[in-house]
């Protein structure tokens, strides 16, 4: 029977499974250096079925562990290792082991063993061993690496067990294609969406996001934008580099340039000096060297740089120190090694930041084709809402929702039309919605989507568009309306201020990003250790306002901001993230791992 597996990391996990003797370890010993060569940072977890030691008898760490230390952490300047003893002998849990991985330092985790877990796996198989194929009873097999005699089904990717390069290609592609599930939240039973009924069985957050994105298509409207206006715009076309970066092979530091073949213990003759922006116009001969500055082009005939501090110069001769460690090509930046001429420098769908703009400028480019920025129209409803700056009427509140929505939309590069506060009457709402749908790509309101008798917006929407009123199994932000107004999309957000912001982050933000051309955007969710007990309720997703920081252990830690009322905007001001607790746990005890959604993307 398969054991469920939930990946607690923001990077993919890929297993390798096989019967004993197939050669899992042999393959991994060849595959790991090949993947490293291709730039993948790897973590590996191996399940051993026997007792083992990882340190050497006689060493301090071994002796202290054997003396009774339950945990022994030994560290040096090159590595650290934590050894944990389990006197009861519990079988290791993969999700617990994965939480020990420093996820910010790896791109993928490879797992040898744990073949009964429902994690994605590559099966290794040799027909000569006479063993059955594992994939016939394990639907989590994503590929089979086998010999020529193995018969495999057409629907599974077949790999050559003896072709390490081909298997590496598959792993690299798997890592590139992997997407972290939205908020790592379990999907609840699907709700039946029926516009003739206001509320059906509640939707999970993940379902709500999926339904929203299914109704959005990326804008086809583009415009040419000059370099100074590119910040926060989304590229409509790939940016192709017209030059090599760097443009010529150059030095990565101040030092001496020479041919590595000249390193034979003899002193080198200094024949010149090359400064950045200049060149040495001759070809270096054997036994010759030039002084060279960082960024200066490496002369013809030279292929190696020795840092200045590892040389001694006297009477026109250079003595190279530590010659045994000099490697061919060291401290040399090859022309085009960062970006080759005619290569894609920036992909379509990239939201431009200061670094992206700087990169374009470094290529000599002055403009790019971008997706036309979305236009949103926003208004608030309710006779109880007052405009800031005006006297606060009895039994009323100041309207904060419109301003938070506008600020978040502007952070995403949107043009904003502010339609103000609309009175609770069907005629006023009809006129406002008609105007908004003619001017904006997306119309957003706050308030008026719950079950109250005075929610005139529902009847107005029913006459002008196709709107679904949803109950999302989340807190804060349960009521949500999503649909079409003529050619515009409509979002009706709840009325409580925090619920508005949380709902915008989860549902409106991905819609705006997709509309703006960010087809592959995913929200950021990071694992963090809870520093306090966190309460929730099974069956709904809880978004607590939190404060995260990096602890002394080098990991993210988080605690709540305190009181979590959906009208308490101060909890958003004090916090720097949302703590996301999925639908299953009733509570998260201190010390357990939760996911956080940093505010940095939008607030």
């Amino acid at each position: 029977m398969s054991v469920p597996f939930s990946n607690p990391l923001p990077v993919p996990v890929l297993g390798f499974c096989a019967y004993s003797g197939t050669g899992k370890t042999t393959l991994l010993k060849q595959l790991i250096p090949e993947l490293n060569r291709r730039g993948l940072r790897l973590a590996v977890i191996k399940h051993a079925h026997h007792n083992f030691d990882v340190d050497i008898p006689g060493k301090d760490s071994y002796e202290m562990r054997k003396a009774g230390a339950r945990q022994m952490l030994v560290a040096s300047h090159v590595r650290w290792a934590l050894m944990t003893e389990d006197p009861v002998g519990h079988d290791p849990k993969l999700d617990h082991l994965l939480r020990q991985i420093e996820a910010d330092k790896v791109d993928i985790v490879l797992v040898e063993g744990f073949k009964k877990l429902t994690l994605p796996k590559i099966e290794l198989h040799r027909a000569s061993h006479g063993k059955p194929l594992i994939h016939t009873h394990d639907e989590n097999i994503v590929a089979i690496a086998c010999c020529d005699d193995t018969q495999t089904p057409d629907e599974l990717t077949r790999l050559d067990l003896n072709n390490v390069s081909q298997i590496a290609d598959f792993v690299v592609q798997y890592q590139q294609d992997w997407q972290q599930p939205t908020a790592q939240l379990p999907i609840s039973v699907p709700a039946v969406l029926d516009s003739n009924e206001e509320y059906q069985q509640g939707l999970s957050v993940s379902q709500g996001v999926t339904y929203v994105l299914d109704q959005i298509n990326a804008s086809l409207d583009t415009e040419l934008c000059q370099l100074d206006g590119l910040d926060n715009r989304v590229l409509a076309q790939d940016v192709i580099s017209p030059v090599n970066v760097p443009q010529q092979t150059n030095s990565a530091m101040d030092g001496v340039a020479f041919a590595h073949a000249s390193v034979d213990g003899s002193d080198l003759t200094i024949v010149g000096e090359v400064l950045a922006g200049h060149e040495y116009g001759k070809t270096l001969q054997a036994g010759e060297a030039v002084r060279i500055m960082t960024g200066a082009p490496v002369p013809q005939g030279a292929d190696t740089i020795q840092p200045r501090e590892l040389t001694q110069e006297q009477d026109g001769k250079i003595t190279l120190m530590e010659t045994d460690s000099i490697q061919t090509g060291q401290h040399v930046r090859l022309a085009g090694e960062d970006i080759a001429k005619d290569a894609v420098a920036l992909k379509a769908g990239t939201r431009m930041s200061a670094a992206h703009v700087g990169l374009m400028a470094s290529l000599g480019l002055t403009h790019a084709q971008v997706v036309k920025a979305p236009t949103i129209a926003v208004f608030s409803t309710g006779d109880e809402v007052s405009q800031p700056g005006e006297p606060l009427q009895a039994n009323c509140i100041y309207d904060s929702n419109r301003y938070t929505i506008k600020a978040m939309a502007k952070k995403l590069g949107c043009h904003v039309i502010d339609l103000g506060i609309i009175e609770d009457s069907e005629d006023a709402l009809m006129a406002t919605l008609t105007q908004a749908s003619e001017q904006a790509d997306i119309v957003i309101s706050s308030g008026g989507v719950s079950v109250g008798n005075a929610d005139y917006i529902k009847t107005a929407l029913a006459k002008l568009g196709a709107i679904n009123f949803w109950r999302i199994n989340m807190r804060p932000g349960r009521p949500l309306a999503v649909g079409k107004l003529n050619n515009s999309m409509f979002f009706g957000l709840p009325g409580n201020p925090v619920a508005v912001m949380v709902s915008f982050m989860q549902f409106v933000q991905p819609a705006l990003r997709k509309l703006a051309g960010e087809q592959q955007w995913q929200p950021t969710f990071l694992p963090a250790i809870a520093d306090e007990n966190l309460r929730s309720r099974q069956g709904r997703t809880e978004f607590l306002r939190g404060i995260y920081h990096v602890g002394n252990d080098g990991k993210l830690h988080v605690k709540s901001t305190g009181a979590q009322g959906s009208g308490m905007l101060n909890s958003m001001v004090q916090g720097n993230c949302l703590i996301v607790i999925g639908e299953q746990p009733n509570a998260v005890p201190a010390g357990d791992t939760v996911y956080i959604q940093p505010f940095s993307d939008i607030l």
Side-chain angles (χ1 to χ4, degrees):
M1 181 178 179
S2 295
V3 180
F5 162 72
S6 177
N7 181 7
L9 300 180
V11 296
V13 176
L14 182 62
F16 288 79
C17 67
Y19 292 100
S20 179
T22 307
K24 296 191 299 295
T25 301
T26 300
L27 173 64
L28 286 170
K29 286 168 63 177
Q30 298 172 323
L31 182 63
I32 289 170
E34 176 63 18
L35 292 172
N36 281 330
R37 187 184 68 79
R38 300 184 186 204
L40 277 190
R41 302 173 301 167
L42 304 174
V44 179
I45 295 177
K46 177 180 174 62
H47 186 196
H49 294 282
H50 50 78
N51 188 18
F52 62 90
D53 280 318
V54 294
D55 48 0
I56 302 172
K59 293 293 185 180
D60 291 346
S61 58
Y62 180 92
E63 299 302 327
M64 285 186 274
R65 184 164 59 85
K66 291 301 183 182
R70 292 286 180 88
Q71 290 193 324
M72 179 67 211
L73 194 153
V74 59
S76 75
H77 68 287
V78 294
R79 72 178 59 89
W80 66 269
L82 174 65
M83 293 159 281
T84 300
E85 300 293 308
D86 187 352
V88 180
H90 291 117
D91 201 37
K93 303 296 184 185
L94 181 57
D95 57 348
H96 170 76
L97 298 177
L98 287 169
R99 289 190 181 97
Q100 314 312 310
I101 300 292
E102 296 180 284
D104 61 325
K105 296 181 180 179
V106 298
D107 301 308
I108 189 172
V109 181
L110 305 183
V111 176
E112 181 185 345
F114 295 97
K115 66 181 179 182
K116 293 184 179 180
L117 290 186
T118 59
L119 74 154
K121 296 182 282 282
I122 296 176
E123 177 182 355
L124 311 185
H125 187 267
R126 294 187 187 275
S128 59
H129 289 186
K131 298 288 188 180
L133 285 162
I134 297 172
H135 84 88
T136 58
H137 58 271
D138 188 345
E139 61 184 14
N140 299 286
I141 301 297
V142 296
I144 300 177
C146 56
C147 54
D148 292 340
D149 296 334
T150 301
Q151 299 297 316
T152 60
D154 293 339
E155 64 270 17
L156 276 177
T157 299
R158 181 187 178 108
L159 304 171
D160 184 348
L161 185 57
N162 299 310
N163 189 335
V164 174
S165 179
Q166 184 190 53
I167 298 172
D169 288 341
F170 181 88
V171 174
V172 170
Q173 193 63 49
Y174 182 87
Q175 188 271 337
Q176 292 175 348
D177 291 344
W178 184 83
Q179 292 185 356
Q180 182 181 358
T182 304
Q184 296 283 321
L185 303 176
I187 300 294
S188 62
V189 178
V192 178
L193 297 184
D194 186 344
S195 59
N196 294 322
E197 298 183 28
E198 290 181 347
Y199 287 88
Q200 302 289 333
Q201 180 182 347
L203 294 173
S204 72
V205 174
S206 297
Q207 286 175 318
V209 172
T210 299
Y211 289 133
V212 166
L213 292 180
D214 283 347
Q215 298 183 53
I216 288 283
N217 292 313
S219 174
L220 299 178
D221 296 330
T222 67
E223 59 188 4
L224 196 65
C225 188
Q226 298 300 311
L227 196 63
D228 280 337
L230 280 175
D231 184 43
N232 208 26
R233 301 301 299 271
V234 178
L235 292 177
Q237 299 174 353
D238 291 343
V239 172
I240 306 300
S241 177
V243 296
N244 282 321
V245 179
Q247 292 192 41
Q248 58 271 316
T249 299
N250 66 78
S251 175
M253 59 175 51
D254 296 346
V256 175
F258 50 90
H260 187 268
S262 298
V263 181
D264 59 3
S266 303
D267 290 346
L268 303 177
T269 301
I270 292 292
V271 295
E273 181 175 67
V274 190
L275 304 178
H278 299 270
E279 66 175 357
Y280 180 75
K282 303 176 183 179
T283 299
L284 283 188
Q285 305 301 312
E288 293 181 341
V290 294
R291 303 183 201 91
I292 194 165
M293 301 299 118
T294 302
V298 176
Q300 293 291 321
D303 59 12
T304 303
I305 308 292
Q306 181 75 330
R308 177 180 292 173
E309 59 269 22
L310 295 179
T311 64
Q312 291 180 343
E313 181 177 351
Q314 187 174 8
D315 299 329
K317 295 285 187 178
I318 282 285
T319 301
L320 302 177
M321 302 164 60
E322 300 182 10
T323 55
D324 290 344
S325 64
I326 297 176
Q327 298 181 0
T328 303
Q330 69 178 25
H331 309 308
V332 173
R333 296 185 293 215
L334 299 176
E337 72 174 15
D338 185 11
I339 304 173
K341 184 177 183 296
D342 297 325
V344 175
L346 296 170
K347 292 184 178 180
T350 299
R351 184 175 289 272
M352 300 290 284
S353 67
H356 297 115
V357 175
L359 176 60
M360 281 195 57
S362 75
L363 301 177
L365 299 173
T366 60
H367 56 268
Q369 201 74 20
V370 297
V371 179
K372 186 177 179 181
T375 296
I376 74 159
V378 58
F379 64 92
S380 296
T381 63
D383 291 337
E384 77 281 7
V385 182
S386 293
Q387 174 68 23
E390 297 179 358
L392 184 62
Q393 303 298 317
N395 305 314
C396 291
I397 58 172
Y398 282 122
D399 180 17
S400 63
N401 292 344
R402 231 167 67 248
Y403 293 91
T404 54
I405 290 170
K406 289 191 297 181
M408 288 188 288
K410 289 176 182 177
K411 189 77 177 286
L412 295 175
C414 297
H415 298 305
V416 176
I417 301 171
D418 186 349
L419 299 174
I421 301 170
I422 310 303
E423 64 177 278
D424 272 338
S425 78
E426 187 175 329
D427 290 342
L429 287 167
M430 290 277 287
T432 299
L433 291 170
T434 300
Q435 175 190 353
S437 67
E438 294 170 351
Q439 297 177 303
D441 301 300
I442 291 181
V443 181
I444 306 175
S445 77
S446 66
V449 293
S450 63
V451 294
N453 293 330
D455 294 334
Y456 298 109
I457 192 168
K458 287 194 285 291
T459 56
L461 289 169
K463 294 180 179 180
L464 293 175
I467 307 295
N468 291 305
F469 292 88
W470 296 344
R471 183 179 64 192
I472 306 293
N473 293 330
M474 63 183 278
R475 192 181 76 162
R478 197 172 201 189
L480 182 71
V482 179
K484 289 286 187 179
L485 284 176
N486 297 323
N487 293 323
S488 299
M489 189 166 184
F490 174 80
F491 284 94
L493 305 183
N496 284 320
V498 176
V500 163
M501 299 185 76
V502 172
S503 297
F504 189 103
M505 289 179 67
Q506 308 312 318
F507 304 107
V508 182
Q509 175 180 205
L512 286 172
R513 288 185 181 274
K514 184 176 179 181
L515 180 64
E518 289 183 274
Q519 297 284 352
Q520 303 302 318
W521 179 84
Q522 289 286 319
T524 300
F525 293 96
L526 303 174
I529 297 170
D531 281 344
E532 63 185 15
N533 295 329
L534 300 172
R535 302 174 67 180
S536 182
R537 191 176 77 184
Q538 193 166 15
R540 74 180 179 201
T541 299
E542 196 87 30
F543 293 96
L544 306 176
R545 277 71 74 201
I547 304 170
Y548 73 88
H549 69 283
V550 178
N552 293 331
D553 56 2
K555 298 181 180 180
L556 291 180
H557 288 247
V558 69
K559 63 180 180 179
S560 75
T561 57
Q564 296 288 307
S566 61
M568 302 173 67
L569 266 179
N570 198 40
S571 65
M572 296 293 287
V573 173
Q574 293 178 354
N576 59 10
C577 69
L578 295 177
I579 305 171
V580 185
I581 304 176
E583 295 183 358
Q584 295 306 312
N586 288 316
V588 176
D592 271 17
T593 297
V594 294
Y595 277 89
I596 62 170
Q597 183 178 12
F599 287 163
S600 54
D601 276 350
I602 197 167
L603 301 182

